[in-house]
Amino acid sequence: MADDRRTYGLVWVALRWAAAALQQTDRVLADFEPVRASMSSPDARSGRVTPESQRAEALFWADVHFLMISVTHLDRALGMVGTGPMLSKALTANAVRLRHLLEHWEKAEDGQGAWEGLRELHGDFATATRVVFSADDLHIGDDSLSVAELAEEVRRVERELVALGLELG
């Protein structure tokens, strides 16, 4: 009985992290539009850097970082539940690495930590901040983390967690 209560509580912790991750996927997708618009601004075409020209990109990358943090915590909470759904190992590993790359930007120049592994895989000019976009998705970093696939995976986990919570509750 005590184990069921603990598991039930952890299911709801995981659901909160899933909600946070989904909120962040929406924000990342919405934040990219101003970034894309700024790419064709007169400042961008002239190569001029101003606080105004950098603000949209700064907010976009902050929300990408918060998305990676929420996915990392969701994965940790799912592991603590011990039964039920799990995120794809490859997707989680990609998100965790991207989080490390964004948090430890100061190690990029020396190729330390996660930057060393990224450069081993993708070469000396590898970066965490590459974005490839299409009408319905963004692929982030040289490991090409798909925001749409990540959101789909989190929604699947969320549905399975709700079912597990109802079963336990």
Side-chain angles (χ1 to χ4, degrees):
M1 182 71 158
D3 283 343
D4 282 352
R5 280 197 308 253
R6 181 178 187 281
T7 301
Y8 182 78
L10 289 170
V11 164
W12 293 105
V13 169
L15 277 167
R16 289 182 182 105
W17 282 115
L22 290 171
Q23 173 72 24
Q24 285 306 124
T25 59
D26 290 344
R27 288 181 70 161
V28 164
L29 293 170
D31 285 352
F32 189 68
E33 285 309 312
V35 172
R36 196 164 77 169
S38 74
M39 289 176 184
S40 60
S41 73
D43 284 342
R45 286 194 306 271
S46 71
R48 198 170 134 222
V49 177
T50 65
E52 293 79 21
S53 69
Q54 296 298 301
R55 188 166 289 119
E57 194 170 341
L59 293 173
F60 170 77
W61 285 109
D63 279 331
V64 169
H65 185 201
F66 296 145
L67 172 58
M68 298 309 116
I69 290 169
S70 61
V71 169
T72 301
H73 283 288
L74 172 58
D75 185 60
R76 193 173 300 152
L78 291 171
M80 292 175 72
V81 170
T83 183
M86 296 299 288
L87 291 167
S88 148
K89 288 184 189 287
L91 201 58
T92 301
N94 198 343
V96 169
R97 176 151 78 183
L98 185 54
R99 179 182 66 87
H100 284 296
L101 294 168
L102 294 172
E103 281 181 8
H104 303 290
W105 54 267
E106 76 283 2
K107 295 179 180 180
E109 189 173 329
D110 297 329
Q112 297 175 347
W115 287 96
E116 180 181 7
L118 185 72
R119 297 225 169 101
E120 286 174 2
L121 278 175
H122 301 290
D124 290 340
F125 299 105
T127 180
T129 56
R130 186 174 326 281
V131 178
V132 176
F133 59 94
S134 63
D136 57 352
D137 199 5
L138 290 175
H139 290 263
I140 299 173
D142 281 336
D143 287 333
S144 193
L145 183 129
S146 164
V147 175
E149 286 177 24
L150 180 60
E152 185 179 312
E153 180 77 357
V154 172
R155 282 188 196 94
R156 177 193 60 79
V157 165
E158 183 182 52
R159 285 190 303 273
E160 292 179 29
L161 283 169
V162 168
L164 180 59
L166 292 172
E167 182 182 307
L168 291 168

